[in-house]
Amino acid sequence: MFLNYLKIAIRLFTRNKLVSAINISGLALALAGSLLIAIFIHDELSYDRYHENADRIFRVTRNFLSPDGSVSLHLGLIAPPFGPLLKNDFSDIIESARIFRFYQSLSREESGESRKHLNIENVYYADPSVFKIFTIPIVAGDSKTALEKPYTMLISEATAMKYFGTLDVIGEQIKADKVFLEIVGVFKDFEKQTHWHADALISFSTLNDDAVYSRERLEGRSWGNNTFSTYILVNDDFDPDRTASQFPAFLDKHMGEKGNPELPHTWTNLFLQPLTSIHLHSHLDFELEANGNINQLYTMGAIGIFLILIACFNFINLSTARASTRGKEVGLRKVVGAFKKQLITQHLSESTLTALSALILAVAIVTMAIPWLNDFTNKSIQFSDYVNVSTTLVVLAFIIVIGMIAGLYPAFIISGFKPSLILKGRAGSVKGAGNIRKVLVVIQFSISIIMIIATLVTYQQLTFLNNRELGYAKNQVVTIDYDEQLMERFEAFHDELTKNPAVINATRSSLVPTDRLLAYQGTWIERGDSLVPTEISMKDVSVDPNFFDTYQVPMLSGRNFSREIKTDDSLAFIINESAARMVGWSNEEAVGKALKNGSVKGTVVGVVKDFHFESLHEPIVPVVFHGQKRFYRISVQLEKSNIKEALAHLEKVWSRFVSNRPFQYGFLNERYQYLYTSEKNQNELFIIFAGLAIFIASMGLFGLATFNTLQRSKEVCIRKVLGAPVASILQLLGTEIFTLVLIANAVAWPLAWYFMNEWLSEFAYHVDMNVMTYLAAATVALVITALTIGSQTLKAAHVNPATILRSE
């Protein structure tokens, strides 16, 4: 019986090549897109799950509250004393481990006294217990004693092979800034699917050396030194909610100060974050690496489902339309004794065969598209990783279900034909089938129009982000990480740089534009004859006198910092106009006012114009700039016409002043573009899949238009014989489909407005949606519809009536 169904299905495919091609290719494209999305989603969901104890590992995070009770900062990092104290105070915590990013340079002796710099990217100091918490296989050395001794380190397999050409590296020496480290082991490269990667791990006890870090900063009351990622391993009975409820008492116990009535838990909190939720659900300040986004997965998953639905709707539409041509076949089968169940089974087997054929084509497309997916998502997914028995069975089951669902309604339509009517020459279609087809076409194009609108709005927002006046110069500005060797020699470094006309200016600061404004020390402002605390959260940035000139930020009142005035680096402040406005000062009134920032009391000497220090996701906030020497960045403004010459000069001067670190730089405008990588990728995603959705829907529309014109061919010929012009024939055949597309627009517009309005609300500054965007989407849909059905309607309108009516 099954073999008979298969033969009939194959004959049907070969007899109706156009319909078969549309069904198979449309479904194959939808499946290929959906499989690519499924592979990406699976990869994102698998982060950190390879660790043996993944479900019992938590990261400890910390937030800080503003005077008004709002969260001013939530860090993925905490102070170093917390780790050991948590393990000591909570019996459910088995182990705790801290990691701290290494920022100095690494080098090894190459020959004689010459040294070779090692550009190892991800280097961390780590507690020995890191091997008990995370699954980090050791391929050389002993994991039980690894990282216990100071001045020891382990490196990854890839690092060993890159710099030594062998895994036999135990005993080798690497110089880390001021100390030598001995390699005591090699660990297996970290999996791609983890929220942090290490190419080298240095023993945490090395930080106790004052030449490296400081024992006091590690073990003392350094509660403000929030630069350490801290993880805990808990037992099976651990209750995270119960433990979190005890954190306020824990903070008060260890951080409270005698004589200070303010309890620490009133201005800071600790939180527990499951390891497996970090990649997709954590977007805290100072994450170790860029994380994914669960909302992006929801969007991509929805797109995958939409693609499958559109392809299935095509199948249903074409199958129900084609049903009228199979009336005699079904009627004869019923007359000779075919049961309804057999007819349904036959049609479902045809639809399943269509789906399986589409799957074969889809797999070929996915194989070719994987490199694009890796490039688009910055991943290294291998399609071979998904070629296994379990995945194959799941995909096959999914395809069979898709085939069954797509063929179910047409199967019942066909099996419901009445032989008595069919064999008398009357139509065999079931009442209501045409209405179902109309509804499906409306849904198809509604989805496509929503995606077109999403593409247009995302593009407009990206254009807005790239073209908005930021209030500072970001082009031809190079940023470099600061080095302590420049602390006392920066003026000489600056003067040497600016001797070359290709370098316009240079400055140093704690942050550069595009960084997050996170530092907040508390602010007191002048009210009458005294200083009073303010609930305004003024962010804190340390700059030198060249900062505002380098970034071309204008002063609105007062003056800039000056090297000639010695107290400017300690007792002077410059605020932005938002800070002055929120305090209640005019720009002119602010100059000369007393202000206390943290523990430093000084005077406001100037007010600068507001500029977008952070991304446009964030509003402009009050900022206090000061000259206290806490510098982490150098910014150099270059002459536009001499970039190469300027960079060569910059590298030459850098190597003369900084001997232990290679010259590494980045352009600020590239950092700015990076802020909107997610939006750029989303726009590309919408363009690709909106185009795919429209193409699949158009294929179905083309097939449907073909059947409609065939069904109405006699009507068209009679109208032509009676004198109907071509224009009226085109109107007759096209009006219904164009009406459906217009209804689809009416359905899509409010849905698109809602979703895109929600998306735009994530930006503090964004474009306003206008009706032209929606009209453009409607125009695109109507033009595509006209092009899709145009050839068939024109063909029907120009047909010679004699060829159709000669048999009547």
Side-chain angles (χ1 to χ4, degrees), residues 40 56 67 95 134 252-253 290 301 390 410 430 545 548 621 630 632 648 651 671 673 703 719 764 789 794 796 803:
F40 173 78
R56 296 192 291 123
E95 295 288 349
F134 296 102
D252 294 343
K253 172 184 174 183
S390 58
V430 174
F548 299 112
V621 297
R630 298 198 299 268
Y632 306 105
E651 182 175 12
R671 287 172 57 91
Q673 295 294 331
R719 287 178 180 273
I789 68 173
L794 281 172
T803 60

Side-chain angles (χ1 to χ4, degrees), residues 523-726:
T523 310
W524 286 256
I525 59 172
E526 181 180 323
R527 283 282 187 263
D529 296 331
S530 60
L531 288 173
V532 297
T534 175
E535 292 188 355
I536 299 170
S537 177
M538 288 197 188
K539 301 303 181 181
D540 182 280
V541 182
S542 179
V543 301
D544 73 4
N546 296 318
F547 182 84
F548 299 112
D549 291 336
T550 300
Y551 281 103
Q552 299 175 22
V553 179
M555 300 291 298
L556 297 180
S557 63
R559 62 174 177 84
N560 193 2
F561 295 122
S562 172
R563 286 194 180 89
E564 308 303 321
I565 303 175
K566 298 300 181 183
T567 56
D568 269 12
D569 64 356
S570 56
L571 301 178
F573 299 107
I574 292 175
I575 60 176
N576 65 350
E577 57 181 317
S578 285
R581 182 173 60 254
M582 293 183 72
V583 168
W585 297 331
S586 69
N587 295 334
E588 291 72 24
E589 287 175 339
V591 178
K593 293 286 188 180
L595 185 145
K596 182 181 177 185
N597 186 62
S599 60
V600 178
K601 180 182 176 182
T603 305
V604 176
V605 299
V607 178
V608 293
K609 186 175 178 61
D610 279 343
F611 63 99
H612 291 282
F613 204 104
E614 301 175 286
S615 81
L616 294 180
H617 289 94
E618 310 296 333
I620 294 176
V621 297
V623 183
V624 55
F625 300 92
H626 56 79
Q628 298 157 35
K629 296 181 179 180
R630 298 198 299 268
F631 302 129
Y632 306 105
R633 296 274 202 277
I634 296 173
S635 305
V636 184
Q637 187 183 27
L638 309 181
E639 176 63 45
K640 183 178 181 180
S641 59
N642 293 305
I643 298 293
K644 281 189 176 181
E645 179 187 340
L647 289 174
H649 175 67
L650 185 51
E651 182 175 12
K652 182 179 178 181
V653 175
W654 177 269
S655 61
R656 192 187 312 165
F657 281 80
V658 182
S659 58
N660 65 342
R661 236 178 69 196
F663 175 64
Q664 294 176 312
Y665 67 93
F667 282 98
L668 187 70
N669 59 350
E670 292 177 355
R671 287 172 57 91
Y672 181 79
Q673 295 294 331
Y674 181 76
L675 293 175
Y676 309 109
T677 300
S678 176
E679 287 75 21
K680 181 182 177 183
N681 289 343
Q682 182 169 300
N683 183 241
E684 292 179 10
L685 186 74
F686 281 141
I687 291 173
I688 292 167
F689 288 109
L692 189 57
I694 282 286
F695 181 70
I696 295 171
S698 298
M699 289 174 67
L701 202 59
F702 177 82
L704 196 58
T706 302
F707 270 107
N708 285 344
T709 54
L710 287 175
Q711 280 185 317
R712 305 182 71 174
S713 57
K714 291 181 181 179
E715 176 191 350
V716 169
C717 290
I718 292 172
R719 287 178 180 273
K720 289 196 71 175
V721 168
L722 295 176
V726 172

Side-chain angles (χ1 to χ4, degrees), residues 166-210:
T166 178
L167 299 182
D168 185 17
V169 294
I170 294 178
E172 292 283 350
Q173 297 277 327
I174 289 181
K175 187 179 182 183
D177 201 9
K178 300 175 183 178
V179 299
F180 284 90
L181 304 172
E182 179 185 357
I183 299 177
V184 295
V186 177
F187 57 85
K188 190 174 182 179
D189 294 340
F190 275 46
E191 299 280 348
K192 295 291 184 181
Q193 295 83 7
T194 183
H195 78 285
W196 72 289
H197 294 82
D199 297 312
L201 295 170
I202 303 172
S203 59
F204 200 85
S205 55
T206 306
L207 290 169
N208 286 321
D209 187 338
D210 287 339

Side-chain angles (χ1 to χ4, degrees), residues 447-467:
I447 293 172
S448 301
I449 291 163
I450 288 172
M451 295 183 71
I452 292 173
I453 293 172
T455 303
L456 294 174
V457 173
T458 308
Y459 175 78
Q460 290 170 1
Q461 179 64 11
L462 275 174
T463 304
F464 171 80
L465 296 175
N466 289 325
N467 296 335

Side-chain angles (χ1 to χ4, degrees), residues 708-709 712-738 789-801:
N708 285 344
T709 54
R712 305 182 71 174
S713 57
K714 291 181 181 179
E715 176 191 350
V716 169
C717 290
I718 292 172
R719 287 178 180 273
K720 289 196 71 175
V721 168
L722 295 176
V726 172
S728 68
I729 301 296
L730 291 176
Q731 182 180 1
L732 172 71
L733 296 176
T735 299
E736 181 182 3
I737 291 178
F738 276 101
I789 68 173
S791 61
Q792 295 302 308
T793 52
L794 281 172
K795 183 179 177 181
H798 286 93
V799 70
N800 186 348

Side-chain angles (χ1 to χ4, degrees), residues 276-323:
T276 53
S277 73
I278 292 175
H279 178 67
L280 289 176
H281 298 274
S282 180
H283 301 91
L284 305 182
D285 302 309
F286 291 116
E287 294 282 1
L288 293 179
E289 296 180 14
N291 286 331
N293 191 322
I294 191 64
N295 291 327
Q296 185 183 36
L297 294 199
Y298 291 147
T299 301
M300 294 186 72
I303 289 173
I305 293 171
F306 289 157
L307 289 177
I308 292 292
L309 286 177
I310 289 173
C312 287
F313 292 166
N314 276 354
F315 190 100
I316 294 170
N317 275 337
L318 293 177
S319 295
T320 52
R322 191 176 61 184

